[in-house]
Amino acid sequence: MRARLAVLALVSGLVLLGCDPSRGGDTLVFWALGSEGAAAEALARAYEARTPGARVRVQQVPWSAAHEKLLTAYVGGAMPDLFQLGNTWVAEFVALGALEPLDERIAASPVFAAGGWFPGAREAARAGGVTWGVPWYVDTRVLFYRADLLAAAGVPEPPATWEGWLAAWRAMKRRDPGAWPVLMPLGEWEVPVILALQRGAGLLREGGRYGAFRDPRFREALAFYAALFEQGLAPPAGTGAVANLYQDFAAGFFTAFVTGPWNLGEMARRLPPARQDDWATAPIPALDAAHPSVSIAGGACLAIRRGSPRREAAWRFVEFLSEPAQQIAFHARTGDLPPQAAAWETPALRDDPRAAAFRRQLASLRPTPAVPEWERIAAGIAREAEALVRGEVTLDRAVARLDEATDAILEKRRWLLARQDAAR
């Protein structure tokens, strides 16, 4: 009899916990991607220690498999309650109807009462005027450069404009004709897109229905990008041509390259001690002195599965992860940059001179177009930019082919939007 009562009590307790996940009695499933997964595991244990009854199961998913795994889980009805979502994927999962809208939760949360997200980071987690994710970390691109080599070429400060960029790299080339002033691996779309955004190009037109690559502003940006190669300032090679990025940078094979915050830690670990004082960071050179330095708003947000029975528990964990103290702990473990300005007031970031370039760049981010097809469009930009640099296509033909390919990619989107318009 005593044993039966014990079993009944256990079952009753499990039922109660299961029926009220908002009390933390149910296990929240969280998919974290890449190196963020290990950091998320530690933060989840800290959250459980602070929150009686909370249980978080973190599943680490490699970035290389994450997109397919999330789509497969969606089709199979097995998505986690909470998951890390790359910013460029937001529009795609919104189109699938996989995400909970979060504007009301954000407005009611004391954690977000003061706002404070960098505008570009917040915008990257939105689509159709709705916020679908909470920015977890922001990833943008700045210029990493050898300050000692620039100074030796008579350039005491990093270039701040496109004109200054050309002048600095030409000075570098005169000083050492055998070295490359800047490394911009072919096959990557980020630099051509950053230049286009700096020039004010919209990339798409008519609400994301068509490509806008024949726009004079995109055309001018792509011409500038190609000129860096034509003038011998950048090697016309892909990433495979660089045997070891850090060794080549330390050896002065190239002076500068455009990259993201993960390389702050990598440089500190991989460059020899004799080179640790020789490198620095700077915002991407702006179009001219009248325009801000613009870069892309990459990174990832935290998204809640639409209809999850544990969405209340998921939201409370999102609030925890968004606290400035947790953001700094996350930065210490991963090197990822906090998307909220308040976290940047802590000494770990405020007093880091190399992080300062990112802080300045974060003030003027631009998200890539919020359409599910963006990844395919971006791949096309990389292909046409490489073909232009290699002399396989003219500038006019490159932008025309980009528009043609993009219009084809967006055909289904136009059809869907037309049906929505007709239904109104």
Side-chain angles (χ1 to χ4, degrees):
M1 183 64 181
R2 183 176 296 176
R4 287 182 61 190
L5 289 174
V7 171
L8 285 173
L10 175 62
V11 171
S12 299
L14 290 173
V15 169
L16 284 172
L17 290 172
C19 289
D20 188 9
S22 67
R23 295 175 66 86
D26 206 351
T27 299
L28 174 71
V29 178
F30 174 35
W31 284 9
L33 315 183
S35 60
E36 284 77 27
E41 184 71 38
L43 291 170
R45 300 294 80 79
Y47 176 67
E48 289 176 345
R50 196 180 83 172
T51 312
R55 293 290 181 270
V56 181
R57 179 160 61 85
V58 178
Q59 181 172 338
Q60 300 181 34
V61 181
W63 266 108
S64 58
H67 185 258
E68 183 176 352
K69 189 173 177 67
L70 281 168
L71 286 177
T72 302
Y74 169 77
V75 172
M79 293 191 81
D81 305 298
L82 175 68
F83 48 98
Q84 179 183 344
L85 192 63
N87 286 345
T88 58
W89 302 346
V90 170
E92 180 179 6
F93 283 85
V94 170
L96 291 173
L99 310 182
E100 284 276 328
L102 300 177
D103 286 296
E104 289 187 9
R105 292 182 183 278
I106 291 169
S109 171
V111 174
F112 305 112
W117 280 312
F118 294 107
R122 172 73 182 273
E123 194 59 31
R126 290 167 60 83
V130 177
T131 305
W132 301 97
V134 166
W136 194 19
Y137 66 87
V138 64
D139 166 12
T140 191
R141 303 292 195 273
V142 302
L143 192 67
F144 282 57
Y145 66 99
R146 284 281 300 275
D148 59 326
L149 296 180
L150 269 184
V155 184
E157 300 293 335
T161 64
W162 286 13
E163 183 178 345
W165 196 337
L166 283 174
W169 300 158
R170 287 167 179 160
M172 287 300 308
K173 198 66 178 177
R174 286 193 297 271
R175 176 181 178 274
D176 186 355
W180 297 102
V182 61
L183 177 69
M184 300 188 300
L186 299 176
E188 295 183 352
W189 58 266
E190 286 83 358
V191 171
V193 168
I194 289 170
L195 294 173
L197 295 175
Q198 291 203 340
R199 188 61 191 84
L203 306 180
L204 302 180
R205 61 186 174 88
E206 298 186 33
R209 290 172 170 82
Y210 297 95
F213 299 105
R214 277 177 282 204
D215 183 294
R217 292 167 294 185
F218 182 85
R219 196 179 182 284
E220 181 183 340
L222 191 58
F224 178 80
Y225 171 79
L228 295 173
F229 295 90
E230 292 167 3
Q231 296 180 27
L233 304 176
T239 53
V242 181
N244 186 302
L245 179 76
Y246 308 101
Q247 287 181 8
D248 289 349
F249 188 59
F253 177 70
F254 59 90
T255 300
F257 65 120
V258 175
T259 188
W262 61 88
N263 266 323
L264 289 172
E266 293 299 315
M267 289 291 182
R269 283 188 289 273
R270 300 193 183 209
L271 259 60
R275 287 281 171 256
Q276 287 298 337
D277 294 333
D278 293 338
W279 66 280
T281 59
I284 302 286
L287 174 64
D288 54 39
H291 291 79
S293 168
V294 169
S295 193
I296 51 176
C301 59
L302 299 167
I304 298 175
R305 169 170 61 93
R306 181 184 287 272
S308 165
R310 288 166 287 278
R311 53 188 179 274
E312 298 301 329
W315 178 249
R316 276 194 289 280
F317 188 46
V318 168
E319 289 181 310
F320 171 80
L321 293 175
S322 300
E323 295 173 357
Q326 310 311 325
Q327 290 266 293
I328 291 301
F330 186 60
H331 167 72
R333 291 177 177 276
T334 64
D336 292 334
L337 301 179
Q340 297 191 67
W344 285 80
E345 298 306 319
T346 56
L349 285 169
R350 185 190 60 208
D351 301 337
D352 183 346
R354 287 165 176 153
F358 284 96
R359 175 66 180 85
R360 292 166 58 194
Q361 194 73 74
L362 291 176
S364 55
L365 300 184
R366 299 288 185 276
T368 53
V371 296
E373 300 85 356
W374 170 247
E375 295 277 347
R376 295 167 60 196
I377 295 170
I381 295 171
R383 281 195 302 272
E384 292 301 330
E386 179 170 357
L388 176 64
V389 169
R390 295 191 183 282
E392 299 168 356
V393 64
T394 65
L395 178 59
D396 286 339
R397 189 61 190 137
V399 295
R401 293 203 313 193
L402 260 177
D403 271 341
E404 292 164 5
T406 302
D407 291 352
I409 291 171
L410 296 173
E411 182 179 6
K412 185 175 182 180
R413 173 179 172 79
R414 290 195 298 275
W415 180 78
L416 289 171
L417 292 176
R419 285 173 61 89
Q420 290 177 8
D421 292 343
R424 289 175 183 156

